[in-house]
């Protein structure tokens, strides 16, 4: 089967999170020479396929078969892929069935490798991911089967295919800040404690400020205010409290404790409560890791481009790999229509991605 034909097949599965719609069983049967392990929980299916060719490094390809709901304003049926003017249209073309098709077809055709090849797939990446990739990694760790290296085939390219790979991701910290005041009449402000007035001179100290200076891998961690509300939506009553929500996409240089210290510095003396939650933790793979250098060389060999090494963007399942000490990178097609109507990728990108993976396996020593 050609890699594009395989992609068309995968796109036809209506695998909206957490339903794999039978796609994992198809992939298992397609890679009949690989040993299969399923770890399923709470309606989520996770599949691990592996094959040992020789004693050597364990290289894993990882991704997800689930997609977000199609939504409205499609020109064609989002689960009946259409090729038009060199582009493939369907939900999941970029995010990320193109990547899955590329590495599945590559592994299907491998006849020799200096180590172990594996594939890790989940049906719950677009959702909470509570019972997805991390559950399989916990199982593999218990069995002593964790990979040494991993490539997550998420869409990473920005303008042209091959221009960027991700060697890490920022974490995500959510903040919930409540400033307590004393409600009163607007005509008698001296008898009330107005939390809006209290935070007015402080806001510029927290809104949009950098919490660190960044480094070669990460942009500065910035505090981004996402919501401010208080009062009863009337003009003559001052609010009894004010709530602020914020998010920090943090690098490895900023932690929750750093944020607490920053808030305390400017809110000292006020009555306030701060609650922080961590949705994901930052990670980075060293630039001289074998998987980084090999992937960069393979991209250059196929496309002629030297990919930049990035940590920009949101989160992905690569964060779980990083937490388990696996050297992980992300590389896939151009990311410009993910989760959008008429999601599409080009036939050439899919073919080139397949050739990059094939080149890397052939030269991974």
């Amino acid at each position: 089967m050609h890699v594009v034909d395989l992609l068309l097949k995968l796109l036809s599965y209506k695998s909206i999170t957490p339903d794999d719609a039978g796609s994992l069983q198809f992939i298992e049967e397609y890679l009949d020479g690989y040993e299969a392990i399923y770890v399923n929980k709470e309606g989520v299916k996770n599949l691990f396929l592996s094959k040992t060719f020789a004693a050597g490094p364990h290289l894993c390809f990882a991704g997800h078969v689930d997609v977000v709901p199609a939504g409205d304003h499609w020109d064609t049926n989002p689960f009946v892929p259409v090729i038009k003017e060199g582009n493939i249209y369907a939900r999941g073309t970029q995010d990320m069935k193109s990547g899955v098709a590329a590495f599945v077809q590559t592994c299907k055709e491998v006849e020799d490798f200096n180590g172990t090849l594996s594939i890790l797939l989940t049906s719950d990446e677009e959702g909470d991911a509570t019972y997805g990739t991390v559950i399989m990694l916990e199982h593999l760790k218990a069995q002593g089967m964790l990979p040494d290296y991993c490539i997550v085939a998420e869409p990473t390219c920005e303008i042209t295919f091959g221009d960027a790979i991700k060697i890490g991701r920022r974490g995500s910290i959510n903040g919930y800040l409540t400033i307590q005041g004393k409600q009163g009449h607007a005509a008698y402000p001296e008898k009330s404690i107005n939390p809006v007035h209290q935070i007015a001179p402080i806001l510029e100290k927290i809104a949009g400020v950098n919490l660190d200076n960044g480094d070669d891998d990460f942009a500065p961690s910035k505090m981004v205010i996402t919501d401010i509300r208080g009062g009863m939506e009337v003009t003559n009553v001052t609010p009894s409290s004010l709530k602020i929500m914020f998010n920090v996409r943090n690098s490895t240089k900023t932690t929750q404790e750093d944020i607490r210290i920053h808030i305390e510095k400017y809110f000292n003396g006020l009555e306030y409560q701060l609650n922080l939650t961590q949705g994901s933790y930052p990670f980075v793979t060293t630039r001289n890791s074998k998987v980084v250098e090999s992937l960069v060389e393979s991209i250059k060999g196929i496309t002629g481009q030297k990919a930049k090494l990035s940590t920009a963007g949101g989160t992905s399942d690569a964060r779980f790999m990083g937490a388990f000490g696996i050297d992980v990178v992300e590389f896939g097609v151009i990311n410009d229509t993910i989760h959008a109507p008429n999601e599409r990728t080009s036939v050439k990108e899919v073919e080139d991605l397949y050739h990059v993976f094939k080149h890397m396996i052939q030269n991974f020593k």
Side-chain angles (χ1 to χ4, degrees):
M1 186 180 292
H2 188 275
V3 65
V4 173
D5 295 324
L6 177 58
L7 174 57
L8 296 176
K9 175 70 174 178
L10 295 177
L11 291 169
S12 68
Y13 289 98
K14 194 174 181 179
S15 52
I16 299 172
T17 310
D19 184 12
D20 78 305
S23 58
L24 292 180
Q25 182 179 343
F26 166 75
I27 292 171
E28 177 194 354
E29 294 171 353
Y30 190 62
L31 292 176
D32 57 355
Y34 285 70
E35 179 182 352
I37 298 174
Y38 280 94
V39 177
N40 305 331
K41 189 173 182 180
E42 299 295 329
V44 176
K45 290 184 178 179
N46 301 290
L47 172 63
F48 184 73
L49 298 161
S50 64
K51 186 175 183 179
T52 298
F53 295 82
H58 179 174
L59 174 64
C60 177
F61 290 92
H64 60 93
V65 295
D66 61 311
V67 298
V68 297
D72 301 321
H73 308 299
W74 284 76
D75 296 333
T76 59
N77 187 324
F79 295 103
V80 179
V82 173
I83 299 179
K84 183 171 61 176
E85 297 179 348
N87 290 314
I88 306 169
Y89 292 82
R91 174 58 84 220
T93 48
Q94 287 190 346
D95 190 12
M96 59 164 286
K97 291 183 179 180
S98 53
V100 173
F103 64 63
V104 167
Q105 188 62 32
T106 299
C107 289
K108 172 79 171 178
E109 298 175 3
V110 171
E111 296 180 353
D112 185 42
F113 180 67
N114 184 36
T116 297
L117 285 179
S118 66
I119 289 175
L120 194 164
L121 293 168
T122 184
S123 68
D124 184 24
E125 191 273 349
E126 298 291 3
D128 294 335
T130 303
Y131 304 113
T133 295
V134 66
I135 295 295
M136 179 59 81
L137 289 171
E138 289 170 352
H139 176 80
L140 295 176
K141 181 178 180 180
Q143 300 299 314
M145 297 174 62
L146 282 176
D148 301 304
Y149 306 98
C150 183
I151 300 173
V152 180
E154 290 277 4
T156 60
C157 297
E158 299 173 357
I159 306 298
T160 60
F161 178 77
D163 63 3
I165 69 173
K166 295 191 185 299
I167 60 170
R169 293 272 190 166
R170 298 172 296 176
S172 180
I173 299 173
N174 295 316
Y176 307 87
L177 183 62
T178 300
I179 300 94
Q180 298 294 339
K182 180 182 177 183
Q183 183 177 308
H185 197 296
Y188 304 96
E190 70 279 2
K191 297 182 179 181
S192 65
I193 300 174
N194 192 330
V196 176
H197 292 182
Q198 288 183 313
I199 67 109
I202 299 173
L203 200 55
E204 66 176 1
K205 309 295 185 182
I206 63 172
V209 302
N210 292 336
L211 299 173
D212 58 53
N213 295 322
D215 55 27
D216 291 341
D217 295 318
F218 290 99
S221 304
K222 186 182 295 291
M223 185 176 290
V224 178
I225 305 297
T226 57
D227 192 84
I228 300 178
R229 62 185 64 200
M232 298 183 293
E233 296 189 58
V234 295
T235 59
N236 60 349
V237 182
T238 62
S240 61
S241 64
L242 184 74
K243 294 182 179 180
I244 299 176
M245 297 172 66
F246 62 87
N247 177 262
V248 178
R249 295 302 167 109
N250 65 307
S251 73
T252 53
K253 300 179 72 174
T254 290
T255 65
Q256 290 188 44
E257 184 59 25
D258 295 323
I259 295 172
R260 290 187 186 280
I261 292 171
H262 185 80
I263 294 295
E264 171 63 25
K265 177 179 179 181
Y266 295 106
F267 283 78
N268 185 32
L270 301 184
E271 185 179 351
Y272 74 95
Q273 296 85 42
L274 174 64
N275 181 38
L276 298 175
T277 62
Q278 185 102 32
S280 61
Y281 290 85
F283 73 93
V284 65
T285 299
T286 59
R287 293 169 178 250
N288 62 355
S289 170
K290 180 190 294 189
V291 71
V292 176
E293 293 182 341
S294 295
L295 183 56
V296 168
E297 285 302 310
S298 292
I299 294 170
K300 187 175 182 180
I302 299 301
T303 70
Q305 292 202 78
K306 183 174 181 179
K308 75 174 183 180
L309 307 182
S310 170
T311 60
T315 61
S316 78
D317 275 2
R319 69 188 188 275
F320 298 126
M321 309 289 179
F324 277 79
I326 300 167
D327 279 11
V328 58
V329 295
E330 299 174 60
F331 179 67
V333 298
I334 294 172
N335 177 344
D336 62 356
T337 62
I338 66 170
H339 296 197
N342 300 315
E343 182 180 355
R344 55 97 187 96
T345 193
S346 70
V347 170
K348 180 171 176 26
E349 287 176 68
V350 177
E351 292 175 336
D352 284 351
L353 183 59
Y354 155 77
H355 287 300
V356 167
F357 290 158
K358 190 171 184 177
H359 182 280
M360 182 170 176
I361 287 176
Q362 291 172 340
N363 295 277
F364 197 77
K365 306 298 184 183

